[in-house]
Amino acid sequence: MNTVDEILDYAIDQEQQAADFYEDLAGRVEKGGMKEILMEFSAEEQRHKQRLLAVKSGEHELTPEQEVLDLKISDYLIDVDATDDISYQDALIVAMKRERAAYKLYSDMAEKLPESHLRKVILGLAKEEARHKLFFESEYDERVLRDN
Amino acid sequence: MTLSTGHSAALDFAQPEPPDLSSGKYVKLWQGPQHPGITGNMSLELVLDGDTIVSCKTHVGYLHRGFEKLMERRSFIQNFTVVCRIAVPEPTFNEYLYSHAVEEISGIEVPERAIWLRTMNLELMRLASFLMWIGGQSGAFGQYTVPNWTLAYRDYVLDLFEEMTGARIYHMYIVPGGVRAGLPDGFEERAREIMKGAEKLLDQIERVMFNNVVFKARSKGLGIITPDMVDPYGIVGPNARACGLARDIRKDEPYLAYDRLDFETISGNEADAYGRAYLRLQETRQSINLIRQCLDHAPTDGPFQADMPNVLHWKVPAGETYVKAECTRGEYGYYMVTDGSEFVRRVHVRGPSYTHAIAVMERLAVGTNIADIAGLMVSLHTYPPEIER
Amino acid sequence: MNLRDLLSPFFVWQRAFEKPYTSIRPTIDRPGAPAYRGFHINVSEECVGCGSCHSICQNHAIDMVPAAEFEGRTGDSGLRPRFDYGRCCWCGLCVDICTAASLRMSNEYAWISEDPDEFHFTAGVDDKPWQNNEHGYRRAEGYHLYPPKRIEMDMLSPDESVQSFEEVARGYSEAQAKLEADRCVECGICVATCPAHMDVPDYIHSIRDGDYEKGLQLMYRTNPFPATCGRICTRRCESVCPVGILGEPVAIRWLKRFIVDQVDAKDYPRILNDQIIESGHRVAIIGAGPGGLSAAYYLRKKGHAVTVFEAGETAGGMLRYGVPSYRLPDADLDKDIAYIVSLGVDIRYNTRIGKDIDFEQLLQDYAAVFLSTGLSVPSNMRIQGEDHARVLSGLQVLADVASGRDPGIGSRVAVIGGGNVAMDAARVSRRLGAEVTILYRRRIADMPADEEEIHESQEEGCNIVPQAIPVEIIAADKPQQVSIKWGEAEMVQDPTGGRPRPVLQEDRMHTDTYDCIISAIGQGSDLDFLSKENQQQLAIEWGKFTPGEYQQSALQKVFVGGDVANRTADAISAIEDGHHAARGIERLLNPDGFTATQTDNTGEPA
Ligand SMILES: Cc1cc2nc3c(=O)[nH]c(=O)nc-3n(C[C@H](O)[C@H](O)[C@H](O)COP(=O)(O)OP(=O)(O)OC[C@H]3O[C@@H](n4cnc5c(N)ncnc54)[C@H](O)[C@@H]3O)c2cc1C
Ligand code: SF4
Ligand code: SF4
């Protein structure tokens, strides 16, 4: 993964995989109402993918400089399994953790690179993932931590 | 003239023989109900022998608005907006007495500040009312300069009311529980300024009206009230004081802040129209003095309203009371009966005009020259609206 | 006659030079005094449409009319006062009583128009030149036509209250209740806001009249749990009471309680006089919480045979096992429940649907099913070490105490959470003799718990540590203890919107050791008693049902309500859901009779 296009292709593929992951899970879950939520997650990942496709085609620019709020919620939560009877709390945890992992991956990658356009793109992707993480963490803060 | 007080056996209440109108000797003349000299809508049915009145019969009923009945169908708070209309030139006494009656029956203690503001309000009312009366008395004798002065100056007093209460005529300021507001900024200075001007005006009036040969000629000896008439006829206020009786509720049974004010009951010794007029001039000055004292003493902070129940469903406990105050014309009274409901059971409003404009007038008119009948009526200071509540 | 009397009249010339009072030309404006009672001004955004101005006007000069632009705000009737200047006498009583202080008068007093209809206008809605006039009459500071302050409820002192589970609020005396009832302005905004649309002004009126039997009858029209709600209701009515805008809202909850406390339970049958004509239909209810029992009451009144299936051994649901007895004594909850049961409601205790009887079975055996199973599963924090034996759930602690068991909390506890369950768990812990620290991730002002609860828990000595985020539970040296690692939080405005969010400050971490940690961060539903197919059919979102009209689910026969089906998760919402479902079931079972039934005060069929 040495070129900008390569890294973007990788990222786009990751988003597609995530979308597939949720769709697959949605097909398996039993709890009433979870299917809809997981399909919603999958659609969210599709939106991420569309955004990256737009970046690749030059319609859209990444914003590596922009600060993204880090709520640090997922950082301290335990890992949960994406089982068939997953609850919406756990589904959110899975989602937050996945976004966090992606964010970590890109920022670690960028750290090892010298100042370059590629580095900028990767940093931009990290910020993109940080935003996705914030999306799910805000959701968690709103819904799961409502009384808290 | 020496005057004695008390009842005289010599007083004759027998109805005089009705004049024989068919004799052709007499003329029957209606004065009013729209005659300006009547000081309101009532009429006098006069029988004249030449220029001299031989009989006078009073007729009321032109102004009946049924206030006492209206009150029986309105809540205790709503009534205070109604009562002021009972005596147009002196609405405040109705506000005070209505409120006071309700407070007495409900056991509401009015705070100190409200007591002073009420006192000042009532004295301002007396001042405004006397100013209007002076003009009326002068005008009734065909002298139209003084009425222009006093009615215009009364407007300065109404300015003070407007500032203090939000309205010029129907102030609706004194409410059950206290008053509606404290004094606005700068009120005291403006009030003192206006009092100064009023004093100067009264001096000028004394000179051009009371030392006026025509006024003296017309008013001296007119409508003499003798002390023995006072109690049998229920004569009160300046009409009684002018014949030497030192009776003033403000002094005799002090209410509000009157026991803390420095003043003396004024009484005269000439019980004719002139004597009554002169006494009223003195009382106008007295009111100015009392207003100044109120300005000196009225607290400028602290509550001006007692703790009140929710007036939307206020039930006053069952009870009965009679309360009174000294208005410009004497004892003004409210008799109130409550039955514990949201409405008053009965209110009876008794203003001094009831006797002065009817029984006293019918007696004093006899023997008077027709040209003096308006002057006579004004000299009794009557307000027909308060006869018909 | 002397010469002086002849000459002095000529001194009239002296005043010839005085300034005249009148204006030289009639066109010159003379503004009214600053506090003049002139034409009305209403600040429509502040007005709540309570209609007090309308009630006080002796001239009937005010009509309350709908004003579209201002519709829909909480605690706003959507009406605005319309003035008829053919009637008004400018007394200003309407201004004096205005609960929102939105109504004033300008000092403008001249208004000329050829069109008489113009003098009939909605102040603050119809454009008038004086609307922004800064002068004119307004109610003076310190002048009131109703008492702005509420009558204080007698409470056990915090020192006393932590000694036992005795009820903290002592109840109003008759004199106190009458004084408090007097403060109501009878606007009815509370009726619109109460989930059950209780007849608040009317039952308050019954207190003023001393007619508590009538009060009880009025309450039962919409709520068969008045003794309960009179103590623990979330009282949304009070939050919109217009008397609370300038003063304190009427203590609606305490007044409700007062009425119930005046009436002896043995007189209920005579007073409420519920005549039952059997309909022949059988309805099943799952859950004997307030939702289930409210449905049972209104269904029974319609003559349906009602069977309630309850997993536990007593009725009341979370009111029994959640709400502690110092807020809601068992005797009062029992008073409500006993009357419902006395109408012939059959409760099958220790019968869990899904275990003892199948849900499908109910669908077959009964004409309709109402389901109100509540939220019984404590949420997990999902942090490391949470499964430590010394981490207890708030619900469990409360249930233990309610059942007379010792929850074994020890003498130093930390409670996690900021909701009512957390406050209850904390205050119960105080009563069990423990020293209590409450860790909450946001600010005290953000706590979802009732303000009164927060205040009382602090008074009783609970130490609230706000902006504290737990990150890990660690085993302590002693097995009967546990440590918690938590970090301080900064509140940061989320650029994407929403309330400010707490952000953990990793450089400010603390570790404290307690005898136990009580986790009370929320609870979820347990719907495992339903088969997969049923779950799919019943439309569930975020763990809750999404009922349609009259609480009907996607399955025609099944109605859902209470905490499992509403967002507010409080007793009164559950009660209304039950009542509403009873109407829906009536519509299902008796479609012809339904429209013909009389309506109650909500406009719904009773
Ligand atoms: C600690 C605490 C404090 C609260 N404080 C207040 C307060 O101050 N004010 C307020 O208004 N609300 C308060 N609430 C909320 C209030 O208690 C609930 O909103 C209300 O009880 C909900 O009623 P419900 O009928 O929906 O469910 P619940 O009251 O939860 O009742 C559900 C019932 O269903 C039974 N059940 C569940 N599953 C099954 C099954 N499968 N088979 C048979 N039975 C089953 C349960 O055993 C339970 O009895 C509080 C809640 C808690 C936990
Ligand atoms: S000012 Fe008086 S009369 Fe006019 S609308 Fe208000 S309450 Fe009614
Ligand atoms: S009293 Fe005030 S708040 Fe209530 S409707 Fe009238 S103007 Fe609006």
Side-chain angles (χ1 to χ4, degrees):
Chain A
M1 284 199 289
N2 295 326
T3 70
V4 169
D5 273 357
E6 268 174 22
I7 188 80
L8 280 176
D9 283 340
Y10 170 78
I12 290 164
D13 185 49
Q14 287 295 306
E15 302 295 355
Q16 183 58 50
Q17 279 190 26
D20 293 346
F21 168 80
Y22 294 123
E23 209 179 312
D24 172 56
L25 192 56
R28 287 185 284 124
V29 287
E30 297 168 351
K31 273 210 171 66
M34 274 317 291
K35 189 183 288 302
E36 293 74 14
I37 289 167
L38 290 165
M39 287 311 289
E40 186 42 50
F41 283 11
S42 174
E44 178 68 19
E45 298 297 342
Q46 287 291 357
R47 280 192 286 275
H48 298 170
K49 180 181 160 190
Q50 293 308 323
R51 224 170 116 87
L52 293 183
L53 282 172
V55 170
K56 198 177 165 209
S57 68
E59 277 167 59
H60 192 84
E61 288 217 28
L62 291 168
T63 50
E65 322 74 26
Q66 208 173 44
E67 281 300 323
V68 179
L69 181 61
D70 184 359
L71 294 181
K72 300 197 183 90
I73 293 178
S74 52
D75 307 24
Y76 292 90
L77 297 179
I78 51 168
D79 288 322
V80 295
D81 295 331
T83 58
D84 293 356
D85 67 345
I86 193 166
S87 67
Y88 68 84
Q89 176 179 14
D90 288 355
L92 275 173
I93 295 178
V94 168
M96 292 188 297
K97 293 237 168 207
R98 287 180 71 105
E99 303 298 351
R100 178 165 184 269
Y103 161 72
K104 284 294 257 188
L105 174 76
Y106 293 126
S107 31
D108 288 354
M109 219 190 259
E111 212 149 90
K112 295 193 196 98
L113 286 175
E115 191 56 52
S116 64
H117 179 59
L118 180 64
R119 182 172 188 266
K120 266 211 166 114
V121 169
I122 294 175
L123 262 183
L125 285 172
K127 287 290 157 66
E128 203 64 17
E129 297 301 332
R131 258 190 292 279
H132 301 163
K133 174 174 180 268
L134 176 63
F135 171 83
F136 286 115
E137 289 193 337
S138 301
E139 196 73 6
Y140 192 86
D141 191 54
E142 249 347 277
R143 298 197 184 263
V144 180
L145 300 174
R146 211 165 73 115
D147 278 2
N148 193 16
Chain B
M1 195 182 343
T2 50
L3 298 164
S4 67
T5 60
H7 187 258
S8 155
L11 211 57
D12 178 13
F13 290 104
Q15 287 285 329
E17 273 298 303
D20 175 13
L21 290 174
S22 60
S23 67
K25 204 173 155 216
Y26 304 106
V27 171
K28 184 165 183 176
L29 192 70
W30 284 78
Q31 166 133 338
Q34 261 74 12
H35 195 283
I38 296 296
T39 68
N41 300 56
M42 69 178 274
S43 65
L44 306 176
E45 183 186 353
L46 303 171
V47 179
L48 299 171
D49 176 0
D51 278 353
T52 307
I53 294 162
V54 293
S55 110
C56 167
K57 207 160 159 17
T58 51
H59 294 272
V60 296
Y62 304 95
L63 261 176
H64 187 72
R65 294 142 298 167
F67 288 126
E68 290 176 355
K69 201 70 195 167
L70 285 179
M71 282 192 244
E72 293 169 17
R73 293 288 177 276
R74 276 164 175 70
S75 69
F76 283 94
I77 193 74
Q78 289 175 334
N79 279 339
F80 106 97
T81 69
V82 170
V83 292
C84 48
R85 288 152 224 279
I86 293 175
V88 190
E90 277 184 49
T92 294
F93 281 90
N94 293 281
E95 294 179 13
Y96 163 62
L97 290 169
Y98 171 76
S99 300
H100 187 45
V102 173
E103 286 153 6
E104 271 222 347
I105 297 178
S106 342
I108 293 174
E109 289 276 347
V110 173
E112 182 70 5
R113 189 166 167 211
I115 288 177
W116 282 97
L117 291 171
R118 282 179 171 190
T119 313
M120 176 159 30
N121 202 266
L122 291 183
E123 284 304 325
L124 278 167
M125 190 75 265
R126 288 171 56 93
L127 171 60
S129 179
F130 275 136
L131 285 174
M132 187 152 130
W133 176 85
I134 291 170
Q137 183 68 91
S138 171
F141 291 124
Q143 303 178 318
Y144 295 126
T145 305
V146 171
N148 281 306
W149 293 355
T150 59
L151 284 170
Y153 208 85
R154 170 174 168 270
D155 264 302
Y156 288 113
V157 182
L158 299 189
D159 282 355
L160 292 177
F161 276 121
E162 187 180 335
E163 279 190 46
M164 182 178 190
T165 71
R168 300 178 73 80
I169 304 291
Y170 294 139
H171 312 130
M172 305 182 203
Y173 177 69
I174 299 178
V175 281
V179 295
R180 272 171 114 175
L183 294 176
D185 287 345
F187 181 86
E188 181 179 342
E189 293 79 70
R190 286 188 290 279
R192 288 193 194 278
E193 193 64 30
I194 288 169
M195 292 310 118
K196 216 158 90 194
E199 229 162 25
K200 183 173 153 206
L201 174 72
L202 292 178
D203 289 346
Q204 288 168 335
I205 287 173
E206 177 156 8
R207 182 173 222 170
V208 304
M209 177 172 159
F210 288 82
N211 292 333
N212 179 323
V213 65
V214 179
F215 182 69
K216 278 187 173 169
R218 297 286 299 273
S219 61
K220 286 210 179 228
L222 176 66
I224 293 171
I225 293 174
T226 53
D228 57 359
M229 284 171 70
V230 168
D231 283 340
Y233 277 91
I235 296 170
V236 290
N239 290 344
R241 287 196 284 277
C243 68
L245 299 183
R247 291 180 181 176
D248 187 327
I249 306 172
R250 295 177 297 171
K251 199 81 203 167
D252 306 339
E253 292 167 69
Y255 50 97
L256 293 177
Y258 284 108
D259 57 350
R260 285 171 280 173
L261 292 173
D262 182 17
F263 72 108
E264 291 306 327
T265 300
I266 299 172
S267 56
N269 49 19
E270 285 176 277
D272 56 10
Y274 186 88
R276 292 193 286 273
Y278 194 66
L279 185 120
R280 290 190 180 105
L281 182 73
Q282 313 274 72
E283 290 202 1
T284 316
R285 290 185 167 122
Q286 180 188 52
S287 285
I288 293 173
N289 180 306
L290 292 174
I291 291 163
R292 287 194 176 124
Q293 291 186 41
C294 289
L295 287 170
D296 292 342
H297 297 303
T300 49
D301 51 16
F304 47 81
Q305 185 202 26
D307 286 343
M308 295 290 289
N310 185 343
V311 298
L312 288 178
H313 25 250
W314 185 11
K315 290 183 177 166
V316 169
E320 179 186 14
T321 189
Y322 175 74
V323 293
K324 59 190 175 181
E326 187 77 21
C327 74
T328 53
R329 292 147 293 123
E331 176 172 335
Y332 206 98
Y334 263 61
Y335 172 65
M336 182 180 286
V337 183
T338 53
D339 58 9
S341 75
E342 292 181 30
F343 303 106
V344 69
R345 178 70 193 83
R346 179 78 171 92
V347 185
H348 179 80
V349 181
R350 174 61 183 251
S353 300
Y354 194 84
T355 50
H356 294 166
I358 299 179
V360 178
M361 185 63 198
E362 285 184 0
R363 181 179 181 103
L364 295 184
V366 175
T368 307
N369 188 298
I370 178 67
D372 288 333
I373 191 74
L376 172 65
M377 180 122 189
V378 176
S379 86
L380 296 173
H381 201 177
T382 59
Y383 290 155
E386 83 193 13
I387 302 171
E388 305 178 41
R389 301 89 39 195
Chain C
M1 178 170 55
N2 61 35
L3 192 60
R4 207 185 65 157
D5 289 351
L6 206 56
L7 292 179
S8 40
F10 293 98
F11 278 90
V12 293
W13 66 266
Q14 276 188 323
R15 283 192 84 76
F17 306 106
E18 290 287 326
K19 187 173 153 290
Y21 182 85
T22 46
S23 336
I24 291 176
R25 285 187 310 278
T27 48
I28 296 175
D29 253 0
R30 178 204 176 272
Y36 190 76
R37 293 199 306 271
F39 302 142
H40 291 80
I41 296 175
N42 191 14
V43 183
S44 265
E45 296 74 26
E46 290 171 15
C47 169
V48 294
C50 69
S52 300
C53 47
H54 158 87
S55 309
I56 204 168
C57 178
Q58 61 121 348
N59 295 311
H60 300 293
I62 299 179
D63 281 329
M64 298 303 293
V65 297
E69 302 137 77
F70 306 102
E71 235 166 337
R73 292 187 295 132
T74 34
D76 182 348
S77 73
L79 303 175
R80 292 294 179 270
R82 185 167 177 82
F83 293 83
D84 180 351
Y85 275 2
R87 287 173 162 270
C88 177
C89 70
W90 288 275
C91 63
L93 275 181
C94 49
V95 174
D96 288 351
I97 195 91
C98 179
T99 56
S102 66
L103 192 61
R104 309 163 188 172
M105 283 160 141
S106 66
N107 64 343
E108 191 59 54
Y109 57 87
W111 181 5
I112 299 160
S113 169
E114 288 180 349
D115 176 8
D117 289 338
E118 248 192 57
F119 298 101
H120 199 191
F121 74 109
T122 310
V125 175
D126 297 347
D127 201 24
K128 293 294 170 209
W130 57 82
Q131 171 71 13
N132 296 318
N133 199 329
E134 60 187 275
H135 289 306
Y137 179 73
R138 43 218 62 186
R139 188 220 345 247
E141 191 69 40
Y143 181 70
H144 303 285
L145 293 187
Y146 55 81
K149 290 246 182 284
R150 67 161 57 169
I151 302 294
E152 289 281 343
M153 167 64 90
D154 252 353
M155 297 275 190
L156 288 183
S157 74
D159 290 344
E160 279 173 285
S161 68
V162 294
Q163 303 296 325
S164 73
F165 282 81
E166 199 177 323
E167 187 169 22
V168 177
R170 308 310 292 167
Y172 277 146
S173 68
E174 184 158 22
Q176 287 176 315
K178 288 205 149 123
L179 285 174
E180 185 60 22
D182 183 52
R183 306 202 312 125
C184 170
V185 295
E186 304 193 302
C187 62
I189 290 178
C190 44
V191 182
T193 310
C194 170
H197 305 299
M198 294 192 73
D199 284 318
V200 179
D202 286 349
Y203 71 66
I204 290 182
H205 196 288
S206 79
I207 296 179
R208 292 200 299 274
D209 291 345
D211 188 352
Y212 309 125
E213 299 194 351
K214 168 138 183 256
L216 194 78
Q217 288 165 350
L218 287 169
M219 295 196 292
Y220 267 84
R221 289 172 60 181
T222 46
N223 182 350
F225 278 92
T228 300
C229 289
R231 291 175 161 77
I232 57 94
C233 188
T234 43
R235 57 194 192 288
R236 261 168 283 164
C237 51
E238 291 183 19
S239 70
V240 297
C241 173
V243 173
I245 300 176
L246 302 173
E248 293 166 338
V250 174
I252 300 172
R253 174 183 45 158
W254 297 143
L255 291 176
K256 182 176 7 251
R257 165 180 169 171
F258 173 78
I259 294 177
V260 189
D261 288 358
Q262 302 320 297
V263 185
D264 207 313
K266 72 174 182 343
D267 295 328
Y268 274 33
R270 172 182 59 78
I271 297 165
L272 298 173
N273 192 23
D274 283 316
Q275 305 286 352
I276 291 164
I277 303 161
E278 298 296 338
S279 70
H281 293 296
R282 296 175 54 193
V283 180
I285 291 173
I286 311 175
L293 291 180
S294 162
Y297 175 72
Y298 292 106
L299 285 167
R300 199 60 204 116
K301 281 179 55 153
K302 288 281 169 222
H304 307 310
V306 177
T307 311
V308 183
F309 298 93
E310 167 56 50
E313 49 193 42
T314 49
M318 278 305 171
L319 299 177
R320 176 86 59 195
Y321 295 110
V323 184
S325 58
Y326 60 85
R327 290 208 285 134
L328 173 61
D330 278 342
D332 295 292
L333 177 59
D334 287 338
K335 192 177 184 185
D336 287 338
I337 294 175
Y339 181 67
I340 298 171
V341 172
S342 77
L343 297 187
V345 171
D346 175 21
I347 306 183
R348 308 263 172 89
Y349 294 106
N350 301 313
T351 311
R352 179 175 287 279
I353 301 302
K355 184 168 144 267
D356 303 309
I357 300 178
D358 261 358
F359 182 68
E360 284 296 336
Q361 190 67 43
L362 297 187
L363 288 183
Q364 280 171 27
D365 295 353
Y366 292 88
V369 177
F370 177 61
L371 189 157
S372 179
T373 49
L375 306 176
S376 53
V377 186
S379 305
N380 291 313
M381 294 183 278
R382 286 285 194 249
I383 57 174
Q384 207 66 52
E386 192 183 5
D387 48 6
H388 192 285
R390 297 306 299 152
V391 178
L392 311 176
S393 89
L395 286 185
Q396 190 57 50
V397 169
L398 292 168
D400 282 349
V401 171
S403 316
R405 293 186 295 265
D406 178 8
I409 56 169
S411 60
R412 275 191 84 232
V413 310
V415 175
I416 318 280
N420 280 325
V421 182
M423 296 304 121
D424 284 339
R427 295 177 68 189
V428 157
S429 301
R430 286 291 295 138
R431 281 165 176 75
L432 296 173
E435 200 180 289
V436 178
T437 304
I438 299 171
L439 299 178
Y440 176 58
R441 55 192 295 124
R442 301 170 218 270
R443 297 162 299 188
I444 291 185
D446 299 317
M447 283 185 155
D450 194 321
E451 228 172 277
E452 189 181 276
E453 284 291 298
I454 298 168
H455 175 72
E456 284 172 21
S457 59
Q458 282 175 315
E459 286 218 311
E460 287 176 0
C462 300
N463 174 31
I464 300 182
V465 182
Q467 286 162 261
I469 299 182
V471 294
E472 194 182 345
I473 306 285
I474 308 162
D477 299 341
K478 296 186 201 145
Q480 66 274 34
Q481 288 191 326
V482 61
S483 298
I484 180 167
K485 185 172 169 198
W486 59 275
E488 293 177 27
E490 289 292 348
M491 299 305 290
V492 179
Q493 195 61 49
D494 182 350
T496 58
R499 54 178 178 170
R501 301 192 190 281
V503 176
L504 184 70
Q505 305 297 302
E506 285 164 319
D507 53 344
R508 282 183 264 155
M509 293 287 201
H510 307 263
T511 305
D512 300 317
T513 302
Y514 295 96
D515 292 342
C516 79
I517 288 164
I518 300 176
S519 157
I521 59 161
Q523 45 275 332
S525 57
D526 172 6
L527 300 176
D528 289 348
F529 67 94
L530 294 170
S531 68
K532 282 165 207 141
E533 299 82 68
N534 290 151
Q535 291 204 20
Q536 300 295 355
Q537 286 163 331
L538 284 169
I540 297 169
E541 214 173 78
W542 296 105
K544 289 200 175 193
F545 295 110
T546 49
E549 224 192 344
Y550 289 110
Q551 304 297 124
Q552 198 164 21
S553 75
L555 279 177
Q556 206 200 17
K557 264 186 158 186
V558 181
F559 294 74
V560 293
D563 287 2
V564 268
N566 63 43
R567 301 220 155 270
T568 38
D570 56 2
I572 190 68
S573 303
I575 290 162
E576 168 58 11
D577 286 355
H579 189 181
H580 212 49
R583 292 178 186 123
I585 292 170
E586 176 65 11
R587 183 172 71 161
L588 178 74
L589 301 181
N590 189 10
D592 301 334
F594 183 73
T595 41
T597 50
Q598 79 190 100
T599 58
D600 63 15
N601 70 314
T602 61
E604 300 279 2

